[in-house]
Amino acid sequence: MMEKVVSGIRPTGFLHLGNYFGAVKTFVEMQHKYDCMFFIADWHSLTTSPNPDDIRQSARIILAEYLACGIDPSLASIYIQSDVKETLELYLYLNMNMYLGELERVTTFKEKARKQPNNVNAGLLTYPTLMAADILQHRAQKVPVGKDQEQNMEMARKCARRFNHIYNTDFFPEPQNYYFSHEAVKVPGLDGSGKMGKSEGNCIYLHDDDKTISKKVMRAVTDNGPQTPNSPRPEVIENLFTFLRICSSDETYRYFDEKWNDCTLRYGDLKKQIAEDIIKTVTPIREQIARYMADTPLLDRLAREGAEKARESAAATLHEVRRIIGFDR
Ligand code: TRP
């Protein structure tokens, strides 16, 4: 039996290169090795914004972007969280075993509570329970997540262990984190900062057009150039080389590496090359995004088929859970 993998994607805006070379590439690789379920966590987004603009449309956009990046519905199930109502019943059962004190201690809860003091709602508090239900309903063994999800994952394992303990069963496996940060490349920002991120405002988006990409790359922070042969590169310059490493050929990388080492490198040339190669990487994805976005019936059909597979898996788990608790009589 193939190991089960589940991961949720919060709809927080458009995908950028950092997402692509981080989480998304990991998902795409995993779908060949594991039985994967990827879903768009639209319910979770209600914990912070009770009035999302158009929640269905933003889910569609993410769906289109993930499909464009290579998530293949014939290999992995991709679905929208709110299409699988089975999750809610499990969420309720699991909540009976979660305690106020431990939920209040979760760092992400404390942070959100500080950021939205007028909306410290129960959904926010029980965010980890919903996430545990997302995972446990498929009895997943592996969950690809970033470091920021460590505590939520600890809570998911706690849910599994507690349920097993209370009902004297070994029904739920304890889901393990599958970190993508080690295998995936950390894409730097173009502003000299360490990381490309939406909140940092230093992103190249997969839907950016050529001109926008060029402009962003040409504005990237540099220094006054290599001074002594074969010297180590300062971080801002190494960041630029990271783009060469992920988007360009080995030959191109070597060419600019030599130029750096013999102090003949001109940043203008380097940036032009980087822009060109990023554009080459992004163009086919951008075209696919547009193709999917132009075909709402296709997106809706794929979402429906994904949801059917997810519901089947969740229903089987729920059936057992009801029996274990005693609701089958
Ligand atoms: N909490 C995750 C995040 O912020 C999203 C998420 C919801 C998730 N449910 C999940 C991730 C289940 C993995 C498994 O990114």
Side-chain angles (χ1 to χ4, degrees):
M1 270 273 274
M2 253 205 269
E3 274 189 302
K4 275 236 173 177
V5 168
V6 168
S7 197
I9 299 144
R10 238 177 331 128
T12 52
F14 297 104
L15 288 180
H16 52 70
L17 272 187
N19 301 132
Y20 179 67
F21 285 102
V24 185
K25 276 222 154 162
T26 310
F27 291 166
V28 170
E29 278 161 31
M30 287 184 102
Q31 67 184 349
H32 297 283
K33 280 192 265 171
Y34 303 102
D35 181 1
C36 292
M37 299 267 182
F38 301 123
F39 68 93
I40 294 149
D42 56 349
W43 276 331
H44 273 111
S45 67
L46 289 179
T47 61
T48 48
S49 53
N51 282 315
D53 279 345
D54 184 345
I55 203 162
R56 196 68 197 181
Q57 186 59 7
S58 44
R60 272 197 202 103
I61 293 171
I62 302 176
L63 185 62
E65 293 202 311
Y66 275 85
L67 292 167
C69 288
I71 293 196
D72 179 349
S74 70
L75 295 171
S77 308
I78 179 154
Y79 65 95
I80 297 168
Q81 185 183 37
S82 62
D83 284 340
V84 182
K85 316 292 184 208
E86 283 76 2
T87 316
L88 297 176
E89 189 175 335
L90 186 58
Y91 171 58
L92 180 135
Y93 296 141
L94 296 176
N95 260 334
M96 303 304 167
N97 310 329
M98 299 304 276
Y99 302 102
L100 183 61
E102 63 189 357
L103 289 166
E104 279 175 333
R105 277 194 300 276
V106 173
T107 316
T108 42
F109 171 71
K110 288 194 281 193
E111 265 169 29
K112 292 270 167 64
R114 196 160 34 77
K115 271 197 215 146
Q116 50 182 69
N118 298 321
N119 185 21
V120 188
N121 61 75
L124 192 61
L125 182 73
T126 57
Y127 183 115
T129 320
L130 182 55
M131 179 159 160
D134 293 330
I135 298 167
L136 299 182
Q137 69 181 344
H138 301 304
R139 300 172 74 200
Q141 283 123 314
K142 286 192 162 60
V143 182
V145 280
K147 279 257 182 293
D148 61 322
Q149 295 300 307
E150 219 148 333
Q151 227 179 349
N152 284 336
M153 284 304 299
E154 197 44 64
M155 295 297 269
R157 281 189 287 276
K158 210 178 256 187
C159 270
R161 270 197 306 271
R162 245 179 229 164
F163 183 93
N164 289 348
H165 179 75
I166 293 172
Y167 298 103
N168 191 23
T169 163
D170 57 4
F171 183 64
F172 285 123
E174 280 184 36
Q176 301 306 314
N177 304 35
Y178 181 100
Y179 292 111
F180 35 70
S181 43
H182 297 303
E183 350 234 306
V185 196
K186 265 214 197 86
V187 180
L190 289 164
D191 51 357
S193 80
K195 193 175 155 221
M196 185 176 284
K198 204 185 94 184
S199 43
E200 282 79 14
N202 58 9
C203 296
I204 292 176
Y205 290 98
L206 297 180
H207 67 255
D208 278 348
D209 60 27
D210 295 2
K211 235 172 111 190
T212 308
I213 295 176
S214 288
K215 252 199 233 149
K216 287 180 178 175
V217 174
M218 296 316 275
R219 271 204 307 260
V221 177
T222 51
D223 60 8
N224 42 20
Q227 307 295 325
T228 42
N230 302 311
S231 52
R233 284 188 281 264
E235 196 186 342
V236 282
I237 306 306
E238 190 53 37
N239 284 351
L240 289 180
F241 274 78
T242 301
F243 286 100
L244 283 183
R245 210 173 289 128
I246 58 182
C247 293
S248 311
S249 68
D250 293 350
E251 201 188 326
T252 306
Y253 179 85
R254 271 197 304 276
Y255 173 82
F256 284 99
D257 190 40
E258 274 166 29
K259 288 251 166 212
W260 166 269
N261 282 327
D262 64 19
C263 300
T264 56
L265 178 63
R266 284 165 37 191
Y267 290 140
D269 299 339
L270 173 65
K271 286 179 177 179
K272 248 185 151 159
Q273 183 72 48
I274 291 172
E276 192 180 302
D277 292 338
I278 290 179
I279 289 169
K280 248 188 242 154
T281 307
V282 167
T283 302
I285 303 171
R286 184 212 295 146
E287 286 169 1
Q288 285 297 313
I289 296 174
R291 189 177 74 84
Y292 281 113
M293 285 313 293
D295 196 346
T296 307
L298 172 66
L299 280 180
D300 288 350
R301 177 171 64 78
L302 292 174
R304 202 168 51 242
E305 288 168 0
E308 272 163 26
K309 284 191 263 175
R311 291 192 58 197
E312 197 179 309
S313 157
T317 303
L318 202 49
H319 182 82
E320 278 306 297
V321 166
R322 288 188 193 130
R323 194 189 54 76
I324 291 168
I325 299 178
F327 283 121
D328 58 332
R329 285 177 287 271

